[in-house]
């Protein structure tokens, strides 16, 4: 027997991650899937990018994503797919080292692309699709 899941769309918001600065949500839940907006290294409550380079920015992005997923009833362990946007592909190795710390086992599928610019001059932006565990 297939259990029918609630497929209503729900927007997710938390003050533990940067607020949306435009007409978008931090994340959207539909059924047991969470689709996050891309997160840059904004420090929650300040509206400012975290100081430092690609390592510090990647750390902040992962903290922001974790906060959004927790608000939706999920976590980084439930990530299925990520997309990483880098302002400079030369930062790939350093970003990848920090990213790997967040996904030490069973990492999600991933695409990484270089883009010409990111919001607010950020060096990295990451979006995730994750699952909500449980019945």
């Amino acid at each position: 027997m297939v259990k029918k899941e609630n497929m209503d769309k729900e927007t997710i918001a938390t003050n533990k991650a940067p607020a949306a600065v435009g007409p978008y949500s931090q994340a959207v839940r539909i059924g047991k899937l969470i689709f996050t907006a891309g997160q840059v290294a904004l420090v929650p409550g300040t509206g400012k990018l975290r100081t430092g380079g690609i390592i510090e920015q990647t750390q902040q992005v992962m903290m922001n994503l974790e906060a959004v997923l927790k608000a939706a009833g999920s976590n980084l362990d439930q990530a299925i797919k990520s997309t990483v946007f880098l302002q400079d592909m030369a930062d790939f190795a350093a970003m990848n080292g920090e990213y790997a710390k967040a996904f030490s086992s069973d990492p999600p599928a991933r695409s990484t692309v270089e883009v010409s610019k990111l919001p607010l001059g950020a060096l990295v932006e990451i979006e995730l699709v994750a699952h909500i565990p449980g019945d």
Side-chain angles (χ1 to χ4, degrees):
M1 180 171 137
V2 175
K3 184 177 178 182
K4 184 176 178 183
E5 294 183 28
N6 180 356
M7 297 301 281
D8 291 337
K9 178 178 145 182
E10 175 187 355
T11 58
I12 306 299
T14 178
N15 62 4
K16 296 185 188 306
V21 293
Y24 64 91
S25 301
Q26 288 173 321
V28 173
R29 179 198 61 80
I30 188 151
K32 292 203 159 268
L33 293 178
I34 305 297
F35 299 84
T36 73
Q39 288 287 321
V40 295
L42 287 175
V43 176
T46 70
K48 299 198 185 294
L49 280 176
R50 182 164 168 187
T51 58
I54 189 66
I55 290 172
E56 293 81 8
Q57 286 199 17
T58 303
Q59 291 168 344
Q60 186 66 51
V61 167
M62 298 313 295
M63 287 188 286
N64 293 346
L65 287 166
E66 179 75 9
V68 172
L69 292 177
K70 282 185 179 180
S74 190
N75 57 62
L76 289 172
D77 290 339
Q78 302 302 314
I80 298 166
K81 171 72 169 89
S82 69
T83 306
V84 178
F85 304 93
L86 287 174
Q87 192 274 325
D88 186 344
M89 197 57 84
D91 287 335
F92 180 83
M95 175 282 300
N96 199 49
E98 291 305 311
Y99 179 97
K101 292 175 185 177
F103 300 112
S104 58
S105 64
D106 298 323
R110 180 178 79 186
S111 300
T112 303
V113 296
E114 181 181 85
V115 296
S116 63
K117 290 185 182 179
L118 289 168
L120 304 172
L123 302 174
V124 60
E125 180 173 356
I126 303 174
E127 64 183 22
L128 292 175
V129 177
H131 183 259
I132 299 174
D135 294 334

